[in-house]
Structures are given as structure tokens and as C-alpha cells.
Amino acid sequence: MSRINVMRPWLGPEEVAAAAEVIESGWVAQGPRVAAFEQAFAEVQQAAHAVAASSCTTALHLALVVAGVRPGDDVVVPSFSFIATANAPTYVGARPVFADVDPTTGNLTAETVTAALTPATRAVIAVDQGGVPVDLDAIRAVTDPRGIVVVEDAACGAGSTYRGRPVGAGADVTAWSFHPRKLITTGEGGMLTTPHEDWAARARMLREHAMSVSAAARHASVLAPPEEYTEIGFNYRMTDLQAAVGLVQLGRLPAIVARRREIAAEYTEALADVPGLRAVADPTWGTSNFQSFWIEAGAELGTDRDGLLAHLAEADISARRGIMAAHRQPAYAGAEHLPLPVTERLTDTTLILPVFHQMTGEEIGRVVAAVRSAARR
Ligand SMILES: *Cc1c(COP(=O)(O)O)cnc(C)c1O
């Protein structure tokens, strides 16, 4: 019996060849492949502009800077998210204000955002948690009249849809991740997309030390034109090595999403009759890529979440605790927050089952059998 991991990236000889070609070209830093990856990603996500970054975390930082979030501002974020969502506002001197989430989607709602607004609210970071599309229109109905910027954290969302379009297309600015735990990977990597041309241009400068002439442009001329540093920037660049891999991965995205949705459907059907067990599902307004297929261990299950995890581990199945709650981490100890009952319940009762492209029917069957036998105990 072999270990079933919670996630495994799908990489093949095409990625190897693409990386080798970049190495042979002699130009491995940010250059033509990054530009090509940005263009291809923008097309796939129906975004006007795409700016590659070193991670989703750095893309979120850039997003808040170009959105004009400043020290003293409040930014509404779900606590029920990877810690980077809450950290981004702190990078610009703003305060993350934790809002609760909906129990079925794990996402912010118009109601939970409204409850977290203060006179200082400047932005909301709406997450497509685990790939489940957030109901952005409902949140914008609250934020637009107040002039509050909506940033979408679509780290997990590549391949998910909202009202017939890719997620992220309806936000002021969206950040994406290419960490191996997400649908497509460049090792580490991220992207910022936005409909605002001036925001994209500023993000492009800021990721490269706010340099007036890009390194690629300097390389292209024998006598490099003099550059200026227009403001205090960062080094948040992606490399051409990463982008070459990303271009191949982007081509695989439709197949990856289709296979993940198939696996999720098999789990859903096979576990539907287990009392006390609830599985994440598509909301009415869109489709999930099932980046995280989570199940909630309810009271009727006969074992709690940690018992279920331990039982799966005995069968050499590496499931994971569900999404974390940032407000419970030492990094945010002592920070005041609203009551977050749904966040706390979900973070205590959910776990993520293995889903990866290469997963076999036999492996799916093993996971299902282990969950069912834990429930019977
Ligand atoms: C993974 C993740 C991030 C961070 O992405 P990196 O590319 O690793 O920086 C941010 N937000 C959410 C919701 C995530 O799941």
C-alpha cells in the first residue's frame, strides 16, 4: 500500500523541455517568457492586464499598494484563509479586520463584510477559498456605494468560474498563486490581474524596484539608457525559468480542472449517505475547481475531525486539517476582532481529502473506504 498525498503537481517532460530551453537561451531572469506568460494568463482569465510576481503573497502586497491602501486604513479580510491574506494589509501599514464566512462556501458574504465595516475601511480582500467562487456581486453591492476597493484573493481559484466568467474578472484587482499546492505551478510564483491600466503599470514598476527602465529593456541595448527609481519599490519579479514552466502548466489547466471536478463528484456521490458528513459543493453562482475538497465532520459522524484524520493516516492517506483561522495564530494574538463562530467551527471540523490529477480510481476508492469505515466506528 502506498502513501496517498493530499496534492501532487502534474509536471511532465514538456515542463522539463521548456525550462531547458530557457537555460540554453542564456536569459533566465524576468524577460520574454514572463511577458508571454502574462499575456497568455490574461487571455485565459479574461483580464485586461496581468503582471507576474514572485508569489501570490507579493502580488497581494502590490495589489494593496496600487489600490491606494495606506497606513491607518482598515481592510476587511476573512480570518478563514491562509495567513497571507491577513498579512498583506499589515505590509502596507493597514489593519486587517477579520470578518466571518458563510458555512457552506467558506467565503465572505455581503452580511459578514457589512458587519466588519468601519469608517476607516478602504478595501476588502475577498477570497475564493479552496477554489469556491466568492459571491463578488453581492459584496460589491455593499462596497461600491462606499468607494471601497475589492481585491480578490484567487490564489486557489484558477479554473473556477463566477456567473459564467473566470473568477477574478469582476474585482478591481486580483492576485493568483502558482505554489505547488494550487492548480498550476511554477515552483513559487504569482500574478496580479486588473482592469485598470494605470494600476497594472504601477505594479509592473513596483515589482522591479520602481525602476523607470526594465532590466529586460536595459539588456536589449548595448549602452543601457539611464534609469530612475521613481518611488520605493520591491524585487517581486518572476523568472523566465518559472514563466516557461507556467506557460506549459496553463495549457494543462482545463484538463486539471476537469479531472478534479470528476474526482470531487465521485467523492460526493460515494460519501453522500454518511450521516453527519457534509462535503463542499458548487454554489449556485459558479463552479469550483476543487483546489481543496473539504468535508465537515458533524456531530452525527461518530468521530471528530482529528479522529477521522488519524484513521486516514493509519490507511497511509495524508489528508489535511481544513482551512486555518488567522485570528487564532500567535501573529495576531491580542488583535481585537468580531465574534467569528462559523470560522471557528469550520476550522475545527473540516478536513481536506486528497485530490490530484494523476489520482487513480483505486486511490479514490481507498480514501472513500477509509472515511466510511471511520464513520462506522
Ligand atoms: C496559497 C494562498 C496564498 C499564498 O500564495 P503564495 O503564492 O504561496 O504566496 C494566499 N492566499 C490564499 C487564499 C492561499 O490559499
Side-chain angles (χ1 to χ4, degrees), residues 55-270:
S55 69
C56 179
T57 303
T58 56
L60 279 171
H61 183 187
L62 292 176
L64 292 180
V65 175
V66 300
V69 179
R70 302 170 55 86
D73 290 340
D74 282 351
V75 179
V76 176
V77 299
S79 169
F80 189 66
S81 185
F82 183 61
I83 192 96
T85 310
N87 287 349
T90 68
Y91 297 156
V92 295
R95 180 176 73 125
V97 176
F98 295 122
D100 212 0
V101 292
D102 176 79
T104 53
T105 63
N107 286 331
L108 294 182
T109 67
E111 291 71 32
T112 66
V113 168
T114 302
L117 295 178
T118 71
T121 306
R122 176 91 190 101
V124 173
I125 305 182
V127 179
D128 302 297
Q129 193 50 257
V132 177
V134 61
D135 189 358
L136 208 72
D137 291 352
I139 290 172
R140 292 202 74 137
V142 172
T143 54
D144 283 1
R146 294 173 169 84
I148 296 168
V149 173
V150 175
V151 178
E152 195 163 336
D153 179 344
C156 307
S160 297
T161 65
Y162 177 62
R163 299 195 190 284
R165 295 179 71 195
V167 295
D172 292 303
V173 56
T174 301
W176 309 82
S177 175
F178 307 121
H179 183 274
R181 184 69 183 76
K182 313 302 159 93
L183 260 71
I184 59 171
T185 187
T186 58
E188 294 277 359
M191 192 75 78
L192 175 154
T193 55
T194 177
H196 306 303
E197 188 173 4
D198 51 337
W199 291 19
R202 188 159 172 232
R204 221 173 272 291
M205 298 262 285
L206 283 170
R207 74 164 166 195
E208 196 169 14
H209 309 288
M211 197 156 59
S212 59
V213 185
S214 74
R218 288 164 54 76
H219 177 73
S221 48
V222 180
L223 181 61
E227 82 277 13
E228 271 192 315
Y229 299 87
T230 58
E231 58 181 311
I232 294 174
F234 314 96
N235 180 358
Y236 285 171
R237 285 176 294 218
M238 179 182 273
T239 68
D240 262 23
L241 267 171
Q242 292 168 301
V245 172
L247 275 164
V248 179
Q249 288 272 295
L250 194 60
R252 297 193 195 275
L253 182 61
I256 291 174
V257 174
R259 180 67 188 136
R260 294 188 76 85
R261 288 184 58 80
E262 252 171 42
I263 296 167
E266 284 189 44
Y267 276 150
T268 303
E269 201 192 323

Side-chain angles (χ1 to χ4, degrees), residues 293-353:
F293 185 86
W294 53 261
I295 55 176
E296 180 175 9
E300 279 178 80
L301 190 65
T303 180
D304 63 5
R305 188 271 309 275
D306 290 344
L308 195 47
L309 274 176
H311 187 78
L312 288 165
E314 274 172 39
D316 216 5
I317 296 163
S318 182
R320 286 286 180 274
R321 270 181 195 83
I323 317 302
M324 59 174 290
H327 74 280
R328 284 179 167 175
Q329 292 302 313
Y332 290 98
E336 271 181 50
H337 59 81
L338 297 164
L340 301 164
V342 177
T343 297
E344 293 184 351
R345 186 190 99 201
L346 291 181
T347 209
D348 287 339
T349 59
T350 57
L351 74 156
I352 296 166
L353 294 183

